[in-house]
Amino acid sequence: MERIEKRVQDSRTTMTEMIMPNDTNPIHNLMGGNLLRWMDIAAGVCAGKHCESYVVTVSVDSVSFEKPIPLGDVITIECSVTRAFNTSVEVFVEVFSSDIKGKNTRKCNDAYFTFVGVDDNKRPIKIPAVLPLTQEEENRYESAQKRRELRLIMSGRIEPNEAHNLKKLFAK
Amino acid sequence: MERIEKRVQDSRTTMTEMIMPNDTNPIHNLMGGNLLRWMDIAAGVCAGKHCESYVVTVSVDSVSFEKPIPLGDVITIECSVTRAFNTSVEVFVEVFSSDIKGKNTRKCNDAYFTFVGVDDNKRPIKIPAVLPLTQEEENRYESAQKRRELRLIMSGRIEPNEAHNLKKLFAK
Amino acid sequence: MERIEKRVQDSRTTMTEMIMPNDTNPIHNLMGGNLLRWMDIAAGVCAGKHCESYVVTVSVDSVSFEKPIPLGDVITIECSVTRAFNTSVEVFVEVFSSDIKGKNTRKCNDAYFTFVGVDDNKRPIKIPAVLPLTQEEENRYESAQKRRELRLIMSGRIEPNEAHNLKKLFAK
Amino acid sequence: MERIEKRVQDSRTTMTEMIMPNDTNPIHNLMGGNLLRWMDIAAGVCAGKHCESYVVTVSVDSVSFEKPIPLGDVITIECSVTRAFNTSVEVFVEVFSSDIKGKNTRKCNDAYFTFVGVDDNKRPIKIPAVLPLTQEEENRYESAQKRRELRLIMSGRIEPNEAHNLKKLFAK
Amino acid sequence: MERIEKRVQDSRTTMTEMIMPNDTNPIHNLMGGNLLRWMDIAAGVCAGKHCESYVVTVSVDSVSFEKPIPLGDVITIECSVTRAFNTSVEVFVEVFSSDIKGKNTRKCNDAYFTFVGVDDNKRPIKIPAVLPLTQEEENRYESAQKRRELRLIMSGRIEPNEAHNLKKLFAK
Amino acid sequence: MERIEKRVQDSRTTMTEMIMPNDTNPIHNLMGGNLLRWMDIAAGVCAGKHCESYVVTVSVDSVSFEKPIPLGDVITIECSVTRAFNTSVEVFVEVFSSDIKGKNTRKCNDAYFTFVGVDDNKRPIKIPAVLPLTQEEENRYESAQKRRELRLIMSGRIEPNEAHNLKKLFAK
């Protein structure tokens, strides 16, 4: 049976949130953990659209928080799938922030979340492949393999020297 | 001084929310009041981008809730400005819903919210005009006058027979 | 079979809420959408008592927000049924606000919400009639017909010239 | 200077809440702690109206939870002041519950909360006296003295044998 | 059948919470009701571990709030069982607070909560006994009898003169 | 000036949370994003105690979610500092879960969060060193250097071949 292919744009998801008082730390900036929570929800909606099933988060790659996002700012979270493996799909998440007047828009951070599609009995299912169309989609599709190897090392499922794509990176 | 004109697309805003248990009534559908709350936040972000200022909600036109939205569904709220008056701007809000698998997308309802742009001392300010470009944007721009008259009648600020645009409607 | 009649006072409902930080916008006043949410909950409880069933919100008439309600204020929401149609009931909602010291009480706004009574299978049911007793209850009972026509026009279910009560209003 | 006297009805406060999923424990009944939180807010609003100042909770007397309140029930919290001491006022709180259809109304529990009125610098202030008018108000006014003694013993501020009113109770 | 005995340390529970804006009153201190809610959750987790069953709160003894806890402070709630009766267990709850820098740690208050262990049909079940090991655990175990008598008087289930342990206290 | 050294146990932090309905996804397990949010709060409290200052999250290393955590479970989050660099400190976070009856305790996942200590003007400050005492503390202290290099690569601040500790890992 041929595997279904779906385009990136078929599941692209945008979320908008305003930073409320309870989302901030005592110095009045968005707490990192709240941003992670919103990124997970937005990415999960995106993965669900791609998989056409329930999804569960299996991992988030390292995330760094560079610029503080103050109370009252508006953040926009853009999610798109990059590549599907057998039962899992990687989602690229980008976060932008503007002040309440729609000014000073800037990129805050990005991250890769991975989800597994599951059926009603919570068992993993086969999911559609991702069909990259633009150059950028192609690049993310290709590099997904390296990120996957890194995740397998980080969670102890493969040894560093089994990670063929990563080895090249450090061999320079 | 010439008044600034801004395009509809410059402030278009999309919000995505997943229906969580606490958003539902005892028969497990989204409560109308929660949807109104999200529509107000999304429309306020859109109005803020257009006005480039703080905004406060001054009215919401009548809203009807036709189809129940069950727990676990994902709603998408699309907002765009239709027309700006002196200090106020009308925002058109459309709500779509899909199930968690991204299927059964349907329009749930729509509404018009009106906001006033205010400065840091909470006083109304002059805001940019809306420049309609597509036929649909043109239509909403034109009909905004009638909705404004209806609002003024409803809030008792003008008499029905002063509402020239509305009178024609009932005079058939 | 005779239809049951219930008095307005049998389902009157009062709700009190204190404005907390997360209920406010960045200029520290209650967000319109949060007030709509509370009004819907309070009106729904009132409609449920009248219908003696589950209820779902079917519409809210236009609402205007005239006076800002600051952080720390206490709002009181008073709800009473005005008239029941076959399966739906209209609820009149009034909002009052005082400062934390119980001073400066003022009316903030009012609105009409409409609910349908449903059974355990979510199907509309026949609901009791409203028996108006005071002059004020009588007035709201009478004018409910006009508001209903307006709602039917607004939602495109009848043509303006079919709205006999409303036509008189504009025919002056 | 004469001390101002205020009637009980001048600050009577009613709060209505619907039991939402997040308010319940894993066996689907309202968690005791959530009820205590709502009682404190309602009683605080009532105390604030009486004192015409900010108030802070200083104690809650023992509370027992006899009947479970299931998900979807509507609770009504009635608060009235009983007696004011120099800078503190005692509030009597009663909780009633009905099902979503407005049926099976029953008293759930009651409790006494004590608040101190404070000025803008958070220092205790003199507050108005309570003027009891009905027999019930009179009874609660009288017994407030005993409850106060018990609180002073419980918090270790007086010795049991200094509690003249309570001693009589145990001396039978 | 011999009754199982469990040690205090087997169910000891620690909860940490940061005071967020929505937890505070308008003078920026933690609201008493929010603290009661957290104490109930923490104590319920502790009781559940001891009973190895679902638990429901049946009472909280009088609580006093002596020191205000400001926004941004971190509170630590320590819970340990003191004594189990037939189907109920008493939990001692202590609350400590520090500022965000981990300084100025101080005890805020303490309280006794009582829970009943229930089975899946919500019926009370026999629960393990508490085995006190330290002198402090022994003291709390012994005094639990007096607190229980006081609760029975407060809830009107026994007469003051039936409370043998308490009588001694007042007889001095 | 000598740098202050603080022990790991001086800032160890434990947080307990019960999984409530709103924390779960539509298949009734804890959403990954909510767990990340709690881990960030707990780790931030721990970092604040070590730094004796405000802290802001600068990164979280990759996290994987292996076992689903169902509604009603109780999770315990244990945090301890591993090593402090000039202005930043790494916190090791472990998550354990048990069912409501305190049974089936299992480790769910772990992660490394990094925080920067800041002063009241939000500028980075020098923070105390970590003094490892046990073998396990020693091991985490040593490996912190490698994790730091990986973070610098991941965020593009150093080239892979500058990461001396990591290179050895892949050179096998």
Side-chain angles (χ1 to χ4, degrees), chain A residues 98-122:
Chain A
S98 327
D99 64 26
I100 189 68
K101 302 173 184 178
K103 297 286 183 187
N104 298 317
T105 303
R106 62 204 183 283
K107 176 153 175 185
C108 296
N109 60 0
D110 53 40
Y112 291 94
F113 280 72
T114 306
F115 295 85
V116 161
V118 295
D119 63 17
D120 292 3
N121 298 312
K122 307 184 186 183

Side-chain angles (χ1 to χ4, degrees), chain B residues 59-164:
Chain B
S59 71
V60 47
D61 290 1
S62 57
V63 185
S64 62
F65 302 91
E66 274 155 64
K67 295 174 197 122
I69 306 177
L71 176 64
D73 261 32
V74 172
I75 61 166
T76 308
I77 301 176
E78 305 277 3
C79 301
S80 50
V81 294
T82 60
R83 184 169 185 162
F85 297 94
N86 224 8
T87 61
S88 72
V89 63
E90 190 195 64
V91 179
F92 179 59
V93 182
E94 281 181 300
V95 181
F96 301 90
S97 165
S98 326
D99 64 27
I100 188 69
K101 301 173 185 179
K103 298 287 184 186
N104 299 315
T105 304
R106 61 204 183 283
K107 176 154 174 184
C108 295
N109 59 0
D110 52 41
Y112 291 94
F113 280 72
T114 306
F115 295 85
V116 160
V118 296
D119 64 17
D120 291 3
N121 299 311
K122 308 186 188 183
R123 275 181 310 228
I125 54 167
K126 285 230 165 197
I127 60 172
V130 171
L131 177 67
L133 293 175
T134 70
Q135 185 56 50
E136 201 185 338
E137 289 173 10
E138 190 69 56
N139 293 347
R140 288 198 200 293
Y141 183 91
E142 283 309 320
S143 55
Q145 193 62 48
K146 263 184 245 162
R147 288 188 297 271
R148 186 170 148 84
E149 280 181 3
L150 189 57
R151 257 168 243 140
L152 293 170
I153 294 174
M154 301 298 275
S155 62
R157 279 187 253 175
I158 67 171
E159 286 300 307
N161 59 349
E162 294 175 69
H164 303 297

Side-chain angles (χ1 to χ4, degrees), chain A residues 13-18 20 37 41 45 48-49 52-54 74 100-103 120, chain B residues 13-18 20 37 41 45 48-49 52-54 74 100-103 120:
Chain A
T13 299
T14 300
M15 193 187 222
T16 300
E17 294 284 343
M18 198 188 283
M20 302 278 186
R37 181 175 167 268
I41 294 176
V45 168
K49 285 187 205 167
E52 298 177 18
S53 72
Y54 294 114
V74 172
I100 189 68
K101 302 173 184 178
K103 297 286 183 187
D120 292 3
Chain B
T13 300
T14 300
M15 191 188 223
T16 300
E17 294 283 343
M18 199 188 283
M20 302 279 188
R37 180 174 168 270
I41 295 175
V45 168
K49 285 186 205 166
E52 298 177 16
S53 72
Y54 294 115
V74 172
I100 188 69
K101 301 173 185 179
K103 298 287 184 186
D120 291 3

Side-chain angles (χ1 to χ4, degrees), chain C residues 6 13-18 20 37 41 44-45 48-55 74 76 98 100-103 120, chain D residues 6 13-18 20 37 41 44-45 48-55 74 76 98 100-103 120:
Chain C
K6 291 178 69 175
T13 300
T14 300
M15 193 187 222
T16 301
E17 295 282 344
M18 197 187 284
M20 302 277 188
R37 181 174 168 269
I41 294 175
V45 168
K49 284 187 206 167
H50 179 78
C51 298
E52 298 176 17
S53 73
Y54 295 115
V55 297
V74 172
T76 308
S98 327
I100 189 67
K101 301 174 185 177
K103 296 287 183 186
D120 291 3
Chain D
K6 291 179 68 176
T13 300
T14 300
M15 191 188 223
T16 300
E17 294 284 343
M18 198 187 283
M20 302 279 189
R37 180 173 169 270
I41 294 175
V45 168
K49 284 185 205 167
H50 179 80
C51 299
E52 298 176 17
S53 72
Y54 295 116
V55 296
V74 172
T76 307
S98 328
I100 188 68
K101 301 174 184 176
K103 297 286 182 186
D120 291 3

